[in-house]
């Protein structure tokens, strides 16, 4: 799949199927000198791969709403990626699943004023589970105080396990 490369990694994503089970071999070559072949354990993409968390999760407070934007965890964007988003009041145990119509943007509406809400997003495919982003939290404003909240005002909050 990757031959005569100088990098220490090989991207063969587009050359395998999710359910294939394979053993990969690798060796180093310098001039005419070569190392012994090294083998991986059995690898199956749909079981042994994790999609990283989404990039640049941004939450902004606007009165009693929270606007959420994020970037996919990889490029190019795969066709079958779906995003699962959750939000919760800071300190709450239960997370609320967000029905998202636009893949990388949504707005949480009708929230309580002057309350800290946290958001977490996870990208997955039909076969590969994703890692949840670190939670981002922001305090909603009172009505009539609709100034934008900058990233420097994002409040860190502890992760709460997802509930379905």
């Amino acid at each position: 799949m990757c031959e005569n490369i100088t990098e220490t990694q090989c991207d063969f994503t587009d050359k395998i199927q999710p359910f294939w089970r394979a053993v990969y071999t690798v060796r180093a070559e310098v001039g005419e000198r070569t190392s012994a072949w090294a083998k991986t354990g059995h690898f199956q993409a749909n079981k042994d791969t994790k999609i990283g968390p989404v990039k640049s999760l941004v939450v902004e407070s606007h009165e009693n709403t929270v606007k959420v934007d994020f970037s996919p965890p990889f490029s190019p964007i795969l066709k079958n990626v779906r995003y699962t988003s959750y939000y919760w009041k800071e300190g709450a145990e239960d997370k609320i699943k967000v029905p998202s119509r636009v893949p990388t943007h949504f707005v949480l509406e009708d929230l309580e004023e002057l309350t800290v809400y946290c958001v977490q997003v996870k990208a997955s495919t039909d076969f590969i589970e994703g890692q949840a982003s670190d939670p981002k939290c922001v305090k909603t404003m009172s009505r009539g105080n609709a100034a934008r909240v900058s990233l420097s005002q994002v409040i860190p909050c502890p992760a709460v396990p997802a509930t379905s």
Side-chain angles (χ1 to χ4, degrees):
M1 289 189 194
C2 298
E3 296 181 88
N4 300 321
I5 60 172
T6 57
E7 297 83 22
T8 57
Q9 60 187 17
C10 170
D11 182 359
F12 48 85
T13 307
D14 60 342
K15 296 177 178 93
I16 63 171
Q17 295 297 314
F19 298 105
W20 286 0
R21 191 169 173 163
V23 174
Y24 295 94
T25 57
V26 63
R27 73 175 178 183
E29 299 178 358
V30 178
E32 293 187 26
R33 297 176 49 188
T34 60
S35 69
W37 286 100
K39 290 184 178 184
T40 66
H42 286 281
F43 174 81
Q44 189 171 335
N46 66 312
K47 291 182 179 179
D48 299 322
T49 302
K50 287 279 188 199
I51 296 175
V54 298
K55 296 179 184 175
S56 67
L57 175 59
V58 177
V59 294
E60 295 178 339
S61 175
H62 299 273
E63 292 187 353
N64 64 334
T65 65
V66 170
K67 179 182 169 191
V68 179
D69 289 290
F70 58 90
S71 300
F74 42 75
S75 171
I77 300 170
L78 300 175
K79 294 177 199 171
N80 62 343
V81 173
R82 67 181 177 281
Y83 299 97
T84 307
S85 305
Y86 297 93
Y87 76 98
W88 64 95
K89 283 186 200 178
E90 185 178 45
E93 301 235 353
D94 293 333
K95 292 182 176 183
I96 301 165
K97 190 172 182 178
V98 178
S100 183
R101 291 185 184 93
V102 178
T104 61
H105 167 83
F106 59 91
V107 177
L108 303 172
E109 298 179 307
D110 300 321
L111 302 174
E112 292 180 26
E113 295 179 22
L114 304 173
T115 303
V116 176
Y117 286 90
C118 300
V119 176
Q120 196 169 38
V121 180
K122 177 174 69 170
S124 301
T125 70
D126 294 337
F127 307 110
I128 302 172
E129 190 64 26
Q131 295 175 316
S133 65
D134 289 334
K136 293 283 178 112
C137 303
V138 67
K139 187 174 185 177
T140 56
M141 296 180 205
S142 61
R143 287 181 175 85
N145 185 13
R148 293 177 76 97
V149 175
S150 69
L151 277 179
S152 63
Q153 293 174 306
V154 172
I155 302 163
C157 60
V160 176
T163 57
S164 298

